[in-house]
Amino acid sequence: KAGVTQTPRYLIKTRGQQVTLSCSPISGHRSVSWYQQTPGQGLQFLFEYFSETQRNKGNFPGRFSGRQFSNSRSEMNVSTLELGDSALYLCASSDRVSGANVLTFGAGSRLTVL
Amino acid sequence: GESVGLHLPTLSVQEGDNSIINCAYSNSASDYFIWYKQESGKGPQFIIDIRSNMDKRQGQRVTVLLNKTVKHLSLQIAATQPGDSAVYFCAEKGYSTLTFGKGTMLLVSP
């Protein structure tokens, strides 16, 4: 069974640009969560999607958005990039949205903003 | 303990020793806890989980202990190996999402 796949793995952008990151969950998983990981703040929750609906949202500005498609694949978008958006963006999938569920993470997309 | 800025708490052990990594969680309503391991260049990998109605759970070479009275979680790794070197995160689940701790770096010397 293939794991969680994130693309691209690395990217460099400049301030003011926008970026779209993609995540393909484990086959059969309908829940996708996104996290931002930085050395200073650790892993911070961005949002969670289940069956194409955003179920939970973290404390991030509106520049951060996401969506989920009918095949459970998900994308997140960051507009008007700032230097502080440089981070590892991790996607995780699960077979359910609530209760005790293990998140399986992808390897992440490392974004550098210059 | 808690990490500040760029500095993660670090635990250095010798190969073959037992390691204990500690985590304090914040939400007394959390009912599910997970330990993850993250190696350099990879995403976090599930190690072991425990529900709040348990105080101990064992896996292969790992044991998680939960003390709800003081909101403390620990991960014990038996016979630590160089391949165990990584950053370890505890995560708690309360009302909805998983909230992660700052992490502890485990360094294993041969």
Side-chain angles (χ1 to χ4, degrees):
Chain A
K1 204 174 197 182
V4 178
T5 303
Q6 292 188 245
T7 57
R9 288 293 314 277
Y10 303 92
L11 66 167
I12 300 173
K13 294 285 187 177
T14 56
R15 280 179 297 174
Q17 288 187 311
Q18 66 92 28
V19 66
T20 299
L21 308 177
S22 179
C23 172
S24 293
I26 290 174
S27 178
H29 283 192
R30 295 164 64 192
S31 172
V32 173
S33 299
W34 289 89
Y35 285 81
Q36 181 195 64
Q37 185 174 29
T38 59
Q41 298 299 319
L43 277 150
Q44 292 190 290
F45 172 73
L46 279 157
F47 23 66
E48 178 182 20
Y49 288 87
F50 184 83
S51 295
E52 301 179 66
T53 302
Q54 188 179 92
R55 295 302 180 103
N56 292 292
K57 189 177 190 303
N59 189 26
F60 277 82
R63 299 185 297 108
F64 292 81
S65 62
R67 59 178 174 169
Q68 186 180 34
F69 302 95
S70 58
N71 62 357
S72 294
R73 190 178 69 86
S74 177
E75 289 180 348
M76 66 162 285
N77 183 277
V78 188
S79 63
T80 319
L81 284 165
E82 301 177 359
L83 295 179
D85 297 332
S86 294
L88 181 67
Y89 289 89
L90 291 160
C91 167
S93 75
S94 171
D95 59 358
R96 44 191 158 140
V97 70
S98 61
N101 56 313
V102 175
L103 298 181
T104 302
F105 283 86
S109 292
R110 183 165 294 282
L111 170 66
T112 301
V113 182
L114 303 177
Chain B
E2 290 293 317
S3 65
V4 178
L6 298 174
H7 303 286
L8 286 177
T10 300
L11 175 64
S12 297
V13 301
Q14 295 286 323
E15 181 177 4
D17 287 351
N18 295 330
S19 302
I20 299 176
I21 300 171
N22 296 303
C23 175
Y25 64 92
S26 57
N27 187 352
S28 57
S30 293
D31 58 3
Y32 179 60
F33 304 87
I34 307 180
W35 280 99
Y36 281 91
K37 168 187 179 183
Q38 187 174 24
E39 297 173 282
S40 182
K42 298 183 180 180
Q45 177 185 5
F46 170 82
I47 302 173
I48 191 168
D49 58 358
I50 187 168
R51 295 175 188 261
S52 60
N53 61 354
M54 304 170 69
D55 53 21
K56 180 179 180 179
R57 191 167 187 215
Q58 289 184 289
Q60 187 176 11
R61 281 201 308 119
V62 295
T63 300
V64 56
L65 299 177
L66 175 62
N67 185 330
K68 294 181 289 293
T69 302
V70 295
K71 293 190 287 186
H72 183 268
L73 200 63
S74 69
L75 177 70
Q76 301 177 2
I77 304 173
T80 313
Q81 302 167 1
D84 294 327
S85 293
V87 177
Y88 290 79
F89 295 95
C90 65
E92 59 180 303
K93 186 156 189 174
Y95 305 112
S96 55
T97 60
L98 275 180
T99 301
F100 285 79
K102 296 293 189 185
T104 296
M105 181 173 292
L106 176 65
L107 298 175
V108 183
S109 308

